[in-house]
DNA sequence: CCTTAGATGTACTGATCGGTATTTACAATT
DNA sequence: AATTGTAAATACCGATCAGTACATCTAAGG
């Protein structure tokens, strides 16, 4: 009983925080929307911030697992993996509930560099960077870390421009630019 | 008297909102930090959101004026202008008070697409995009809008990665990638 | 049926929230 | 000095904030 309720809470809180923002979501709203009593919430988490941290952990795990799996099941070579990364984020952008990156939001709302929330958000990005540095190395890039940074810059830029509704095909633009940069590094 | 006090308020509120976040900053904190009475604040602005809108307008004007001037005084050709854009944002990142892009923060905290704050934040990005599409055209790019989107993706990505402390030379990385993309388009 | 563990429901706390209302103070102009 | 306009100071409003306390309910296992 206990583990499932905790997971249910984190899962529901994730959706609520994502749609409303962290500070703009009060615990009473979580109670109402999640249908879980405040007593239970505080039984599992000492503070609202602890709940947010758990939410970020779940989101990190879900997102990275989905992304890596999505990429690996549609691309055969490491080079192709770097390219279809942008198809995957394009799928993400097309989701009806898409409202940008939860980790960017977390770091925007919790800006102190020693805040565990900020720290965890940044860690998520580092893990993505390291993953794609590995992919770039396997693809035979002469400077895999540099290429990974290129890809990350394009992905993050695309997330921002898509979330703000400024570019209509942010992922497509980023993919095109990425292909150019990949070709320049691999040839 | 009146215009100056209003401007003083907007200027101070800009700093306070930028350091603390919009929702995380209450009007009582603005009163304390700005040293302006709540009566005066509400005399000039009907609501907190109206104050935020004025803050975004001021920030937009200051930032774009600074950026364009900075670029034009250090670059002679439109092509050079696209490249020194990244030197300018590097200077910005190096400021002690740098905490990312206020417009990204605004759109993250006010996510409804019909919210005037979200709308204004997105408009800021559009104006940058159009400006650099113009620069790219003058530089002789075959697809100036596309190149401008490339530059914007890199700039926004760099802002995110710098604000989150993930990349140590986000602007430098973005510049290197931008040069590659510019050369590919102009040659 | 009884016990235990998990969960709900509800009221409460002191503080803050955005915004309102009223009085007083201050500065500039005539 | 009087007048006018601006601004500060302060108390207030109803609501929400994160978190606490306590009683009650529910479900599962022995």
């Amino acid at each position: 009983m206990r583990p499932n309720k905790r997971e249910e809470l984190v899962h529901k809180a994730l959706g609520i925080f994502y749609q409303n923002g962290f500070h703009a979501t009060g615990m009473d709203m979580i109670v109402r929307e999640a249908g879980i009593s405040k007593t239970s919430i505080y039984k599992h988490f000492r503070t609202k911030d602890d709940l947010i941290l758990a939410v970020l952990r779940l989101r990190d795990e879900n997102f990275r697992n989905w992304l890596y799996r999505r990429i690996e099941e549609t691309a055969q070579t490491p080079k192709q993996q770097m390219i279809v990364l942008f198809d995957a984020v394009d799928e993400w952008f097309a989701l009806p509930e898409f409202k940008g990156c939860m980790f960017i939001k977390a770091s925007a709302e919790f800006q102190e560099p020693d805040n565990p929330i900020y720290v965890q958000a940044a860690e998520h990005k580092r893990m993505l960077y390291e993953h794609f540095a590995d992919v770039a190395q396997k693809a035979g890039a002469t400077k895999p870390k540099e290429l990974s940074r290129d890809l990350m810059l394009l992905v993050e830029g695309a997330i921002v421009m898509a979330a703000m509704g400024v570019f209509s095909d942010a992922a497509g633009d980023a993919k095109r630019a990425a292909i150019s940069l990949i070709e320049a590094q691999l040839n």
Side-chain angles (χ1 to χ4, degrees), chain A:
Chain A
M1 313 293 177
R2 187 179 200 166
N4 284 344
K5 199 67 168 175
R6 189 186 191 277
E7 287 173 17
E8 179 191 345
L9 167 62
V10 175
H11 182 260
K12 287 186 176 178
L14 192 160
I16 299 161
F17 280 130
Y18 186 55
Q19 292 298 315
N20 292 287
F22 295 103
H23 281 103
T25 302
M27 297 305 271
D28 284 340
M29 184 188 284
I30 299 279
V31 169
R32 275 196 316 269
E33 299 286 328
I36 295 170
S37 74
K38 202 181 281 193
T39 315
S40 288
I41 294 174
Y42 281 102
K43 182 157 193 173
H44 294 292
F45 298 97
R46 205 174 43 87
T47 62
K48 180 181 177 181
D49 279 11
D50 283 353
L51 174 60
I52 291 171
L53 283 168
V55 162
L56 291 181
R57 262 190 292 271
L58 178 64
R59 177 60 187 158
D60 172 53
E61 185 180 339
N62 286 351
F63 180 75
R64 283 194 302 114
N65 283 345
W66 168 80
L67 185 67
Y68 300 157
R69 197 183 311 112
R70 192 81 195 86
I71 290 172
E72 280 170 19
E73 74 194 12
T74 61
Q76 309 308 319
T77 66
K79 175 180 172 182
Q80 272 295 312
Q81 287 182 8
M82 290 188 285
I83 293 171
V84 302
L85 158 65
F86 296 91
D87 297 324
V89 297
D90 198 22
E91 285 175 39
W92 175 34
F93 295 172
L95 295 177
E97 69 269 16
F98 173 74
K99 278 187 184 292
C101 168
M102 182 170 250
F103 300 95
I104 294 177
K105 291 175 192 301
S107 70
E109 289 200 41
F110 299 89
Q111 304 186 127
E112 299 311 310
D114 60 346
N115 186 313
I117 291 171
Y118 178 94
V119 171
Q120 193 168 319
E123 191 55 32
H124 164 82
K125 299 297 183 189
R126 276 189 202 98
M127 286 191 276
L128 284 168
Y129 161 60
E130 281 158 14
H131 175 84
F132 289 106
D134 191 46
V135 174
Q137 179 163 29
K138 286 172 180 160
T142 52
K143 298 177 184 176
K145 289 193 174 179
E146 204 173 86
L147 183 54
S148 180
R149 289 199 293 278
D150 290 348
L151 300 178
M152 291 293 296
L153 290 175
L154 290 171
V155 166
E156 299 306 317
I159 291 169
V160 168
M161 293 317 235
M164 292 177 88
V166 177
F167 289 174
S168 53
D169 186 24
D173 285 318
K175 180 180 177 181
R176 177 182 40 75
I179 288 170
S180 180
L181 294 171
I182 290 166
E183 303 286 2
Q185 255 242 27
L186 294 198
N187 298 328

